[in-house]
């Protein structure tokens, strides 16, 4: 991976995950700066990873080749507008992980036509198993794209969106979906506890069943999920009876509706 000077603006969970991934993959810590007004958080990251920490966004951004905007969306305007003062913006690649802010709006915030990539990561990035959707503005070079992809591959896998609207599909598919799976796990755990398992046992059984199912699916190459489902379902058997309940509750349609609602909300937020 190429090594460029990176300034992370924001020292939250996501910045922490990406920095941890980069350093674990051998990225030179001396080329990473993290900026945050809260000293506890940024100093802990400096200690943990050997990176530089500061509360001076402008100086860090001025010295960097790559600026990663990692603050909450509602903070973004206030954080970006002072960066208009940067003297060599055309030489910088700007990456943003904020949800719900269209790429063009950053050009307004910075009063400049930016080389910008929108990144939509998800929380499994915190354990190196994330999925990130990436969308590049038209003036981003192949070299910049490759750098961004490698950066996000340090915390998982990546997929490029050719149209910006696809970022909202990625939100529904991978950004929000850890919560869908956690709801399913929560529901199974509740029933397991009603059956008499204690909380710890119930949690462990659910986790192991899901982990095993994912591992099995991965081991079967491109085998469709429907085939894997059929392979554990004997006609008239216990699994068939359980699945019947899901179909009666219109689970496939409910999942589709849920994903569409996430997309609609993402569009509304823009
Ligand atoms: P967080 O609340 O954990 O962190 C935000 C950080 O910004 C804090 O360290 C805060 O000190 C810092 N900050 C606030 N004002 C600042 C300023 N003026 N200058 C510099 N730093 C400032 O947030 P997070 O969960 O890491 O999320 C960061 C971004 O990532 C958000 O825009 C969010 O939409 C996006 N995102 C998060 C997730 C997720 O699952 N956590 C997933 C996808 C995208």
């Amino acid at each position: 991976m190429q090594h460029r000077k990176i300034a992370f603006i924001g020292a939250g969970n996501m910045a922490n995950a990406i920095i941890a991934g980069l350093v674990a993959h051998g990225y030179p810590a001396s080329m990473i700066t993290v900026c945050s007004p809260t000293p506890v958080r940024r100093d802990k990251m400096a200690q943990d990873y050997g990176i530089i920490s500061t509360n001076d966004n402008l100086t860090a951004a001025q010295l960097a080749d790559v600026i990663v905007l990692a603050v909450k969306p509602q903070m973004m305007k206030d954080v970006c507008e002072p960066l208009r003062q940067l003297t060599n913006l055309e030489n910088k690649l700007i990456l943003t992980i904020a949800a719900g802010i269209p790429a063009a709006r950053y050009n307004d915030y910075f009063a400049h036509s930016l080389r910008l990539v929108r990144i939509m990561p998800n929380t499994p990035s915190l354990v190196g198993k994330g999925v990130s959707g990436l969308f590049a503005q038209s003036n981003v070079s192949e070299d910049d794209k490759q750098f961004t992809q490698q950066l996000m591959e340090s915390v998982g896998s990546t997929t490029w969106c050719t149209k910006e609207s696809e970022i909202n599909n990625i939100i529904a598919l991978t950004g929000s979906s850890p919560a869908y799976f956690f709801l399913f796990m929560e529901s199974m755990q509740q029933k397991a506890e009603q059956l008499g398992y204690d909380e710890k046992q119930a949690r462990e059984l659910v986790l192991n069943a899901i982990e095993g199912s994912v591992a099995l699916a991965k081991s079967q190459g491109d085998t469709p999920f429907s085939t894997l489902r059929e392979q554990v379902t004997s006609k008239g058997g216990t699994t068939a009876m359980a699945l019947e309940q899901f179909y009666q509750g219109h689970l496939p349609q409910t999942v589709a509706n849920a994903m569409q609602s996430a997309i609609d909300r993402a569009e509304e937020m823009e």
Side-chain angles (χ1 to χ4, degrees):
M1 179 178 186
Q2 305 164 23
H3 295 153
R4 306 189 192 180
K5 271 193 158 179
I6 311 176
F8 283 82
I9 311 291
N13 290 325
M14 229 1 114
N16 186 63
I18 299 169
I19 292 169
L22 283 172
V23 173
H25 281 77
Y27 204 93
S30 60
M31 297 188 77
I32 303 173
T33 300
V34 67
C35 309
S36 169
T38 34
V40 180
R41 188 82 189 167
R42 64 168 196 262
D43 291 347
K44 168 112 178 61
M45 285 167 71
Q47 217 170 39
D48 288 350
Y49 309 119
I51 60 173
I52 301 156
S53 80
T54 176
N55 64 356
D56 184 351
N57 293 354
L58 189 62
T59 305
Q62 186 66 65
L63 294 173
D65 307 309
V66 180
I67 301 169
V68 183
L69 300 169
V71 297
K72 292 283 183 205
Q74 58 271 27
M75 298 292 307
M76 197 55 88
K77 187 169 186 275
D78 289 346
V79 163
C80 291
E81 282 183 352
L83 300 179
R84 286 180 180 186
Q85 298 171 56
L86 292 171
T87 52
N88 48 356
L89 258 175
E90 52 289 341
N91 297 333
K92 297 183 190 298
L93 172 64
I94 315 288
L95 308 179
T96 172
I97 62 171
I101 304 179
R105 198 166 304 154
Y106 292 91
N107 295 339
D108 298 338
Y109 291 164
F110 280 79
H112 196 280
S113 180
L114 299 170
R115 276 160 57 202
L116 179 131
V117 180
R118 272 185 75 183
I119 301 172
M120 181 45 56
N122 66 358
T123 48
S125 303
L126 304 175
V127 291
K129 299 259 183 200
V131 183
S132 298
L134 310 173
F135 171 75
Q137 296 228 103
S138 57
N139 55 352
V140 172
S141 68
E142 281 308 312
D143 203 37
D144 286 341
K145 282 190 186 175
Q146 198 186 5
F147 176 84
T148 308
Q149 183 173 325
Q150 287 173 344
L151 182 98
M152 293 316 293
E153 281 174 354
S154 68
V155 289
S157 60
T158 58
T159 180
W160 281 99
C161 301
T162 48
K163 288 189 298 207
E164 186 164 10
S165 59
E166 287 171 28
I167 280 276
N168 294 340
N169 300 346
I170 292 293
I171 290 176
L173 198 53
T174 61
S176 300
S177 64
Y180 317 159
F181 301 124
F182 294 144
L183 175 62
F184 199 90
M185 290 155 82
E186 191 186 329
S187 307
M188 283 187 69
Q189 183 179 1
Q190 266 167 18
K191 179 62 183 173
E193 288 179 32
Q194 283 166 15
L195 292 171
Y197 294 95
D198 68 32
E199 194 182 332
K200 189 166 177 285
Q201 281 174 316
R203 180 185 161 84
E204 193 118 329
L205 286 167
V206 171
L207 272 176
N208 289 344
I210 291 205
E211 195 174 28
S213 307
V214 171
L216 178 64
K218 282 193 163 176
S219 77
Q220 302 294 304
D222 292 336
T223 306
F225 296 136
S226 57
T227 306
L228 296 171
R229 171 177 50 71
E230 284 158 10
Q231 283 168 356
V232 280
T233 313
S234 321
K235 203 160 183 273
T238 55
T239 309
M241 290 304 113
L243 293 182
E244 186 52 31
Q245 287 295 321
F246 288 132
Y247 287 118
Q248 277 184 21
H250 307 288
L251 184 76
Q253 192 54 50
T254 303
V255 170
N257 292 346
M259 290 173 66
Q260 189 58 50
S261 292
I263 294 169
D264 293 347
R265 179 69 186 128
E267 285 171 357
E268 248 172 49
M269 284 164 68
E270 285 179 355

